[in-house]
Structure formats: C-alpha cells, structure tokens
Amino acid sequence: MAEEFLLTAEKSIDLAFKTRTCLPGDDITQHITNVTQKLRLGAGLVATTDNRVVCTNAGVLRYRPPNRYWLDFNHKRYTPALDDGVVGMVVDRNAEFYRVDIGGSCVSPSFATLGMLAFDGASKRNRPNMQPGSLVYCRVVRAAKDLDACVTCEGTSVEWSTGQSLTPPTVAPTHLAKKDWMTGLAIYGELTGGYVFKASIGLAKSLVQDECAVLESLGRAIPFELAVGVNGVVWLNSKSSQDTILVANAILNSEGLTPAQCEAMVAKRDRESVEDSNGGGVEVKMSRLPNAGLGLFATTTFNAGDVVCVYRGQVLATADALKVADKSYLMRLGGGVYIDARTCIGVKARYINDCRSRGVHNVEFEKLPLLQKANVRATRYIHIGDEIYVDYGKWYWLAYNLSHPHDLIK
C-alpha cells in the first residue's frame, strides 16, 4: 500500500520542484511539467501556442500541489489571477450578482462579478444581503485580460448564471475548512467591523505564506483577526484600537525584514505596550530641582532608545486646546491632535521636569498623533536613581512667562 501511495504521489505531485528566480521571457517548461494533471498557471506565467510556459515578470517560481504554479513578484498594480484571495468592496448589485471593486490595474479591469449564490450554503431564500460599501473576502475563479474577473466566496465554485460547476471546477485550498456562510466561520464572505489598510502587493503575498514571521510573532503577543488580499488590501480586527494600530504598523514595517528582525521588532513593541500600561521602571517623588515639586526617577537602568514611560492624557482638537486655561500639561502631538495630562495623575510622564540644561537632559518625547500619545525615550544611558529630565522647548517657556509675569524663568 505504501509503495502504491508513493507511486501515485510521484505521478500527481511535483516532488522534484525547487523554487528558482526567473526573468521575463524565461522558458520554464522543463521545470514544471512533472505532473500528470492539466497545469494551472497563476500570476507571471503564460502558456504559448506551442505548449511552452514563459515568464512575463521577474520573480520567484512557486508551486502548490497538485498542479498550481505562479511567480511571486512585487508590483504596484494588481492584476487578477486564478485562485487569488482578494479583499474587495461592493459597489453595485442587482438580482443576480454583486459588482465588486478589487483594485485592479488599468490593463486589467478593477471590477469583479460575485454571484448572489456564490456562498457556501446559500440559496435563493437564504443568502447574504450585502449593500454597496460592504467589504468581502473572496477568491478569483476566472480572470481574463479584457473582461471583468469572476470571484466566489465558496469552496467548490459554480457558475452563478446556470448553477452548474465551472469547467474545470476550481476548489479552495484543501487546508481551509468548508463552513456554511450563516455560521460566521466561513473563510470567505462579508467582513464586518475592523480596520482596512493598503499594503504593497509583495508584502501581501508574503503575509499569505504558510510561514510568515511577523504574523507568527504578533499572534503570540496579541489576539487579532486578519484577512489578507493579494490585491494589497488588508482587513484587520482586534479587541482594541490600540492593538489594531500596533498590529497594522508592525505588518507595514515588516516589509524587507528578516524573520529574526521581525521577531525583535514585535518583542520591542510588546515591551513598549507593557510599559505603556503599567509605567514600570520609574517612580514619582520629590524633585531635586528647587521649587519644582514632584519629579520622576528611574528604578531600573535604561539604555539609549528605550521607552521609559508614556505621556497620555485627554485628547483634544486644536480649537479645544486653545481654550484650555492651564496649559502646563498640554502637549501638541501634530496633525491637529493635542493631549492634556493635567487631570491624569496616574500618568507618570506628567511629572518629568525640565532642568533647563541641554547636557543634563536624558529623555525626549516621541510624538505619535495616530496613537494619541508620546513615548518618552531615553537619549543616553540612565542609572538607577537618576531623575528624568526632558527639554520642554522654548515655546513652552515663552508661554509660561507670559502667563506668569511675576515668576519669570530665564
């Protein structure tokens, strides 16, 4: 039995396949014809009239059993290809199908057709009711240069107009469990809630690989849901907006990094998140500066570049910030975003003083308007027991002297 299985596998699976770098015009027929089934060519590959397979782009040749071949390459505009998983937006609908924008290039149409019944378990009486503006995660089952692509949200694809199986039938990857659309557990279908952002085509393709370093590292630190379209559209959902922004930034910053660098980046962001939540490593007590009141001191050592703590507060727009009477704890983050920590006594960063000496300052503010906070980063090595000092800036002291004419500080 084992010998028969191996013989069958050798005939149906390209066991001798090896990834290789290809250039436009390369004839790779000899490298991909070790299967008995009809070949299914994806992005970057085309079959000629004399039964040869030629590369149309520069990239890395990939293979998925039993007979799927394609090229991995980075490009700015998406061209639909067979079996691509894409995230699209419904722009129109009628009685038979949805019209979905999948962001194609000017050479290939940017719209695709999604049948009303192209969902696992859907019927004429029981089917999804998506409206224009809805997001959907689907799979390309037909792609032509001069026609709209055809997409589906089901495992075994059927023709929406006739209800019959496509010839040849296209099947979702075998590792994806088939679930009815009503269960909410289906791989393909409507995406509700969450956050959508754009990524490069190359980054999107790397995210859907079986082993993706940045997603594996993030998954160990933060729970989240992700739907990656190889058209460069990524849908992300997590339990909080802070986690969502952290994961999105980590994914975008991972492009071009090695697995070790991705793991180090995620570990650093996770550490910063922990420090953000508990303010560990610092304590508040009387400042060493005369008449300064309370100050912030290090209870552990910090290297240059480490996050000491985080400055947070009430988020204000420019118009509201100008109305604040006491601007002692008001910080402008940029982009019309301000935070006021005057009433946030639990924010330890609000106790950092300015010693008015450039040679003594040991931290600086890293302003993050999208995250509505500012990281306090060490600019040099900080010893245990050192007081934390930061440069408030000349505009702060100018405003202070204007509001305190009898207590001027030079």
Side-chain angles (χ1 to χ4, degrees), residues 288 296-299 362 380-388:
R288 294 173 182 151
L296 193 66
F297 293 78
T299 59
N362 49 19
R380 58 183 176 83
Y381 186 83
I382 300 177
H383 298 270
I384 297 176
D386 284 355
E387 184 169 358
I388 309 300

Side-chain angles (χ1 to χ4, degrees), residues 199-267:
S200 68
I201 305 297
L203 176 59
K205 289 183 177 180
S206 69
L207 294 175
V208 298
Q209 298 297 323
D210 292 336
E211 296 182 0
C212 179
V214 66
L215 294 185
E216 290 179 355
S217 300
L218 286 170
R220 291 191 292 266
I222 302 172
F224 63 93
E225 294 178 283
L226 193 72
V228 180
V230 295
N231 56 339
V233 182
V234 182
W235 175 85
L236 171 64
N237 192 24
S238 68
K239 63 180 181 180
S240 68
S241 58
Q242 180 179 351
D243 287 348
T244 298
I245 295 174
L246 192 151
V247 173
N249 288 340
I251 290 175
L252 293 174
N253 292 333
S254 68
E255 188 168 12
L257 299 183
T258 64
Q261 290 173 330
C262 288
E263 187 171 352
M265 176 188 66
V266 173

